[in-house]
Every structure is written in C-alpha cells, then in structure tokens.
Amino acid sequence: MNKPNFYSILPAIIRYDKDLTDKSKLIFSEITSLCNANGECYAQNSYFEELYNLSESTITRIIRQLKKKGYIDIKYVYKNETKEIEKRVITLPTNSHEEVVSKMTVGGVKNDQDNNIKKYNIPKGILYKESSKYPSLDEIKNYAKKREMKYVDCEYFYNYFNDSNWIDSKGRKVRSWKQKMLTWEKHEKEKRGKEEEENGKYTRI
C-alpha cells in the first residue's frame, strides 16, 4: 500500500477531546496527511481498515463521529445523471466560524502560520480552531468588568495562562477561560478574606 509522505496534524481541539478515542484521533491525523496533497482526501474506509488493521464498523463509526462533531466535511460525487456514488471527498473545515490560529508549532519549531503552510505544505484548513477560543487581554478586562470581579488581576491572569499556552496548574488544557476566571475570582476572594471583600481592595502577593 502506498502511504502519503506528508506531515499529519493533530490540533489541540482534537487531542483534548475526551469524546474521541485514540483510534479516532489517529484516523483524523491520517486524513490531514492525505489532505496535504491537494486539500482533499479521497480514501475510502477500506484504506483505513487495511492501514491500521481496524474493522469496517469501527472506521464507519469514527468517520461519522468526526463529521458529526464538525472536524471534517464530507461530500459525494455522483456518476453522471445517476444516484450512484462515484467517490467520497473528505475535506477539513476552514475558518468560516472560527479564527485561524496566528501561530502553531510544527516539529518543535514555532513559525508564523504562513511560513508553516509554505515550509511544510500544510493546508490552511487543518489549522482551524487551535487557539481561537482563547481571549485577548481586552476581552478579559471586559468580562471582569461585566461580572464585577474585584479579585482578578486581569493582566496577571492573562500573562499566567498565555505564557503556559492556556494549560492550568494541573497540566490540563483550559476549555473555558470565562469559567476559569470565575473560579479564580472565587479562590482569590476566599484567600483575601472577608475584610478585603467588604473594602473592595485587591493586592496580589
């Protein structure tokens, strides 16, 4: 069997999706590799079955799951004037509803998005959703103001998580920065005590 000689990509949103099995993540990664050639994957289920020694039902379930979760798009090409399927085409979503990441790491070297696409022949579609869910400092300040947070030092909060690539102290990827801010506020409020709560003062130690 001929195997594609391209990089495969596994974005954070796939890596940390607890609904996906390791096999599902592997198949997604393989699809990105096949899409590297021209942005489309024409492989049928039998290809993945043979390549990874998986059953037909397993591959079918994985493909359906990836499509249902919006990680891949599928379209069918039909034979002329018939309802008979000629081929299935799998593509990767673009940034129609999410920002494309500005930077990513490939092979341990961080480059600008355009440099990665040029150097590693990576289709833009596979860079989707990687970091669009993380906020700017202004968004954090606006949210703190909206929720009347007294105990969150916005700049400290932003730098703390941005420098760690939005991984918390337990080594887990932050899924909701707003929820993390609420938890942070509660923790700092309890830490500072009732007196600072009533006075509305906040001094970071």
Side-chain angles (χ1 to χ4, degrees):
M1 173 184 291
N2 292 327
K3 300 178 181 179
N5 187 25
F6 297 105
Y7 281 90
S8 64
I9 303 297
L10 200 60
I13 193 170
I14 303 293
R15 294 198 304 273
Y16 301 110
D17 190 330
K18 295 182 179 180
D19 292 335
L20 298 180
T21 64
D22 290 343
K23 292 178 182 178
S24 297
K25 296 172 185 179
L26 181 62
I27 295 302
F28 177 86
S29 179
E30 183 67 26
I31 290 172
T32 68
S33 179
L34 293 168
C35 283
N36 243 324
N38 58 12
E40 297 180 335
C41 167
Y42 304 109
Q44 300 304 303
N45 287 2
S46 56
Y47 169 86
F48 301 108
E49 293 166 24
E50 182 179 353
L51 185 63
Y52 294 109
N53 194 29
L54 297 172
S55 67
E56 180 180 357
S57 60
T58 297
I59 296 299
T60 298
R61 176 183 56 77
I62 288 174
I63 296 296
R64 286 177 178 174
Q65 182 186 37
L66 292 174
K67 183 179 185 301
K68 183 177 181 179
K69 293 180 75 68
Y71 295 145
I72 61 173
D73 289 328
I74 297 177
K75 66 179 180 180
Y76 296 96
V77 177
Y78 296 89
K79 293 183 178 180
N80 290 338
E81 300 181 356
T82 70
K83 294 183 178 180
E84 183 179 353
I85 297 175
E86 182 176 354
K87 63 181 178 180
R88 178 185 67 187
V89 182
I90 300 177
T91 56
L92 299 165
T94 60
N95 60 331
S96 58
H97 60 286
E98 297 275 356
E99 283 184 22
V100 176
V101 292
S102 60
K103 291 184 178 181
M104 66 173 291
T105 299
V106 177
V109 180
K110 184 175 288 187
N111 298 295
D112 290 336
Q113 175 188 326
D114 290 339
N115 289 338
N116 277 312
I117 292 171
K118 181 178 180 181
K119 183 175 181 180
Y120 298 105
N121 191 29
I122 301 173
K124 290 184 178 180
I126 61 181
L127 303 182
Y128 73 112
K129 293 185 178 179
E130 181 73 34
S131 66
S132 59
K133 62 182 178 180
Y134 299 129
S136 64
L137 178 57
D138 286 340
E139 287 177 301
I140 289 175
K141 289 181 177 180
N142 290 336
Y143 186 69
K145 183 178 180 180
K146 177 181 178 182
R147 298 303 297 258
E148 298 181 347
M149 294 180 176
K150 300 177 181 179
Y151 299 92
V152 175
D153 182 326
C154 294
E155 291 190 9
Y156 180 75
F157 178 89
Y158 174 77
N159 291 330
Y160 179 89
F161 285 106
N162 195 54
D163 290 347
S164 67
N165 196 27
W166 292 91
I167 295 176
D168 65 20
S169 59
K170 295 182 180 180
R172 298 175 302 194
K173 200 75 172 178
V174 174
R175 291 182 175 273
S176 172
W177 62 269
K178 291 181 179 179
Q179 184 59 49
K180 183 63 70 175
M181 280 189 72
L182 292 173
T183 302
W184 189 289
E185 167 79 355
K186 180 180 178 181
H187 175 76
E188 291 299 322
K189 179 179 178 180
E190 294 173 349
K191 184 178 178 181
R192 297 303 183 266
K194 186 176 180 179
E195 182 179 350
E196 288 189 354
E197 176 189 358
E198 292 175 348
N199 294 334
K201 294 181 180 179
Y202 172 57
T203 303
R204 177 164 56 83
I205 299 175

